[in-house]
Amino acid sequence: MTRNSDNAPGWRGTTILGVRKGGRFVLAGDGQVSVGPTVMKANAKKVRRLSGGKVVAGFAGATADAFALFERLEAKLDSHSGQLARACVELAKDWRTDKAFRRLDAMLIVGDKDATYLITGAGDVLEPEDGLVAVGSGGNYALSAARALADYEDDPEKIARKAMQIAADICIYTNDNLTIEVLEG
């Protein structure tokens, strides 16, 4: 599933990939932000830890919007005792119904030691059934590569790194300057 920001025409540049396998969750994000044919930044950090390091989150879309979403998710995690599923549902409800908040243009992949979710502004909270999820300009490339690699590789970090490299080799809006966060189950 991919989506690009409409709030900043011509701004592109995110590939975020989540891989859950063997009791581990890996979230990888590239570092490129592009405006049209120009790379504006090559080392952006689009993946971060939340909730005292127990949750990792990555975003695709408008950067300021994503930071607002990270803050809201952190508040939801605090108010729901770190229950990720509940926090994600409550965030999606707010995102869909709050007049100012629903204009935020981003998608989030979040995960903890037990579950992974994709959250959208349309009110979607999706849990991938195969443990693989991706968003952003190169998301479909990374997801396809991860699905192929998952049959042959047991280490989710190796799957994520190789899939992101494949996406970077194909998608001009994706680079190989990765931020990777790993959670052990």
Side-chain angles (χ1 to χ4, degrees):
M1 181 175 276
T2 63
R3 178 174 164 187
N4 291 320
S5 173
D6 292 329
N7 289 344
W11 285 80
R12 293 182 183 244
T14 298
T15 301
I16 304 293
L17 172 67
V19 178
R20 182 174 296 280
K21 190 169 186 179
R24 296 172 68 209
F25 177 61
V26 176
L27 193 60
D30 80 313
Q32 185 165 308
V33 176
S34 304
V35 178
T38 305
V39 175
M40 296 299 290
K41 185 169 183 170
N43 63 347
K45 304 291 185 211
K46 304 168 199 168
V47 173
R48 62 189 52 218
R49 287 183 177 263
L50 304 172
S51 193
K54 296 177 187 170
V55 172
V56 293
F59 73 89
T63 306
D65 293 353
F67 290 130
L69 290 166
F70 282 158
E71 287 176 13
R72 288 264 185 131
L73 179 59
E74 187 87 60
K76 295 293 183 188
L77 286 163
D78 289 344
S79 67
H80 296 292
S81 304
Q83 296 176 33
L84 184 59
R86 179 116 186 250
C88 290
V89 169
E90 293 301 318
L91 176 71
K93 281 185 197 176
D94 287 354
W95 196 352
R96 186 183 72 243
T97 59
D98 183 273
K99 192 172 186 176
F101 194 48
R102 71 177 166 223
R103 291 189 179 122
L104 298 182
D105 183 26
M107 296 178 84
L108 298 179
I109 296 174
V110 299
D112 64 8
K113 65 182 185 61
D114 299 314
T116 308
Y117 300 100
L118 169 66
I119 310 169
T120 74
D124 300 314
V125 179
L126 306 171
E127 186 173 11
E129 63 184 50
D130 60 0
L132 303 170
V133 62
V135 294
S137 304
N140 287 336
Y141 304 117
L143 182 60
S144 297
R147 284 190 175 152
L149 292 164
D151 289 339
Y152 304 100
E153 177 59 61
D154 291 327
D155 183 342
E157 186 173 353
K158 287 182 181 177
I159 293 169
R161 285 184 184 279
K162 182 62 178 169
M164 291 294 286
Q165 182 61 58
I166 290 167
D169 289 346
I170 297 169
C171 178
I172 62 170
Y173 300 109
T174 303
N175 71 14
D176 60 1
N177 187 354
L178 304 179
T179 300
I180 295 185
E181 293 289 348
V182 179
L183 292 176
E184 302 293 334

